Amino acid sequence: MVPFRKPLLKTLKAATACFMVLVPSRKSVVLEGPGSIRKLPDLMKKQNIKKPLVITDRVLMEKHLPAGLLEAFNAAGMPCAVYDGVQPNPSIENVEEAYGLYVKNGCDAVVGFGGGSPMDCAKVVAGRAVRPHLTAEQLGGYFKIMLPVPKKLPRIVAVPTTAGTGAETTSAAVITDNGRNTKYTVNDFLIHPHVIVLDPELTCGLPPFFTAITAMDALSHAVEGYIGGAHCKFSDAYSEKAVRMIFGHIDRVYKNGGDLEARGQMMLASYYAGIVLNRALTGYVHPFAHKIGGMYHLPHGRVIGAVMPLVLEFYNETVSRRLARLADVIGASRPGMSLPQKAAAFIASIRGFNRTYGIGATIPELREADFPEIAKSVHGECIPYPVPRIMNDGDIFRILKALTG
Ligand SMILES: [Fe+2]
């Protein structure tokens, strides 16, 4: 039996991922535009919510970013509880602490306010409320919340304050297990947010470098979904829109963080790219970024930016037609170029993005002694992803070597 276990597990995981892709997610209510955050309390009142728990982090609290929302809740006569302890990579402890507050205060909704971490934490707190007998750790994997029969689900509200993670529109959350020094994913349709607030005013204070790395993250969601085996007409339309909007507005938001119109376009682009991520999944770029980012404590988007051109070059002719189309979309191609030339022009545009906006092409922190562990993790995470071309250890090592510079 033993030799059959691994292939069987792979098949099961792939089948589950296909199910996630094929079954449509819940349709969310989207509040969009400058100042839209102030409309949230009224909307929640109409949805008969009595007491939300706002989940955020200390950095945002110190910057008073949630203040407008908290005041709006007050003005609407809606008391709310606040958990502001979410760490940059939300931990099991964060989920348990926030869930404790949720229960203690008799809450009936969660509002994830911030980057991907508070939103992911809020989603899993909602999962805990549905399955109070399971720990945050036990919710890891697929459909532990919705099966067998779900209890009443708290309303889940996602308020992104960066334009990049797409966590506001995915049915997954990444949680860090500090005890085991690893991360795991909670995948479940039930944690797809009911309400999404896309208020570009909330992103205006983001410094240029963080603006760039979050935009690169959104770009990777749009590109990886576009070239993977799970793409469809629906996801292609969102990918092309997102890629066009990101390349079309990054310069404006990088140079002038207060450009509300461009911030709004980037926020929408990130949301569209999140839809792609939810429907068409990722490829090899994200498994590299998850492991390298986790090992050396590096920002997700910085690693994504360095890794993506190398992975796209590895895919080579398997994706040249798709990348050529993206080169057309962003105006990087010229008449008379062949498909491979257009694909190379698109990859060159990503490298240009990295150069211009300070992301860089290498990860000097990488140590050769860690390559085997990274390769193992990349292979493991990639099992359910519909990648265009499979990597072996040698392929992964070559990309890691190139990243060391
Ligand atoms: Fe990402």
Side-chain angles (χ1 to χ4, degrees), residues 249-299:
H249 295 88
I250 179 63
D251 207 54
R252 281 170 61 183
V253 290
Y254 187 81
K255 289 175 178 161
N256 174 16
D259 184 336
L260 257 186
E261 199 255 331
R263 286 285 194 191
Q265 290 294 300
M266 293 298 274
M267 194 152 224
L268 260 185
S270 168
Y271 170 64
Y272 293 157
I275 292 172
V276 176
L277 174 64
N278 208 39
R279 292 306 302 254
L281 306 178
T282 67
Y284 273 106
V285 178
H286 272 75
F288 272 96
H290 288 153
K291 187 60 186 173
I292 295 171
M295 263 184 136
Y296 305 106
H297 306 287
L298 303 173

Side-chain angles (χ1 to χ4, degrees), residues 114-128:
S117 300
M119 288 189 278
D120 279 2
C121 185
K123 291 175 184 177
V124 184
V125 169
R128 286 285 282 112

Side-chain angles (χ1 to χ4, degrees), residues 15-92:
T16 315
C18 287
F19 185 66
M20 290 285 287
V21 168
L22 292 174
V23 177
S25 298
R26 164 191 305 131
K27 198 152 172 50
S28 310
V29 175
V30 180
L31 297 177
E32 190 209 329
S36 50
I37 188 70
R38 291 186 280 280
K39 298 178 192 159
L40 181 61
D42 277 346
L43 175 74
M44 292 176 81
K45 261 189 161 176
K46 281 181 198 148
Q47 294 180 338
N48 213 21
I49 290 163
K50 302 274 186 283
K51 190 163 188 184
L53 172 67
V54 176
I55 296 176
T56 186
D57 64 47
R58 273 187 206 115
V59 175
L60 294 177
M61 283 300 269
E62 279 160 17
K63 289 182 176 167
H64 305 291
L65 210 59
L69 174 63
L70 301 183
E71 281 161 20
F73 276 134
N74 248 336
M78 186 187 253
C80 69
V82 178
Y83 174 72
D84 66 357
V86 181
Q87 291 159 330
N89 293 305
S91 63
I92 291 172

Side-chain angles (χ1 to χ4, degrees), residues 165 217 220-221 286 300 304:
T165 70
D217 188 21
S220 72
H221 300 154
H286 272 75
H300 179 65
I304 289 277

Side-chain angles (χ1 to χ4, degrees), residues 129-271:
V130 175
R131 300 274 174 220
H133 59 290
L134 295 182
T135 63
E137 196 179 358
Q138 289 168 331
L139 294 177
Y142 288 91
F143 312 129
K144 299 281 173 57
I145 303 168
M146 73 186 296
L147 297 173
V149 179
K151 287 185 182 169
K152 189 169 164 41
L153 178 73
R155 299 298 281 185
I156 304 172
V157 180
V159 185
T161 60
T162 64
T165 70
E168 68 273 18
T169 186
T170 63
S171 304
V174 181
I175 300 297
T176 297
D177 181 341
N178 285 322
R180 293 189 190 148
N181 199 21
T182 185
K183 291 180 179 184
Y184 68 94
T185 312
V186 177
N187 297 281
D188 202 296
F189 299 121
L190 288 193
I191 61 172
H192 194 271
H194 299 88
V195 179
I196 299 168
V197 183
L198 302 176
D199 185 341
E201 283 181 2
L202 298 174
T203 66
C204 284
L206 204 61
F209 177 67
F210 288 97
T211 299
I213 59 173
T214 47
M216 178 51 74
D217 188 21
L219 181 67
S220 72
H221 300 154
V223 173
E224 285 218 278
Y226 195 73
I227 58 178
H231 76 90
C232 57
K233 268 189 182 169
F234 171 83
S235 64
D236 284 354
Y238 281 109
S239 279
E240 290 181 9
K241 268 198 265 190
V243 170
R244 185 183 298 114
M245 289 160 79
I246 292 166
F247 273 101
H249 295 88
I250 179 63
D251 207 54
R252 281 170 61 183
V253 290
Y254 187 81
K255 289 175 178 161
N256 174 16
D259 184 336
L260 257 186
E261 199 255 331
R263 286 285 194 191
Q265 290 294 300
M266 293 298 274
M267 194 152 224
L268 260 185
S270 168
Y271 170 64

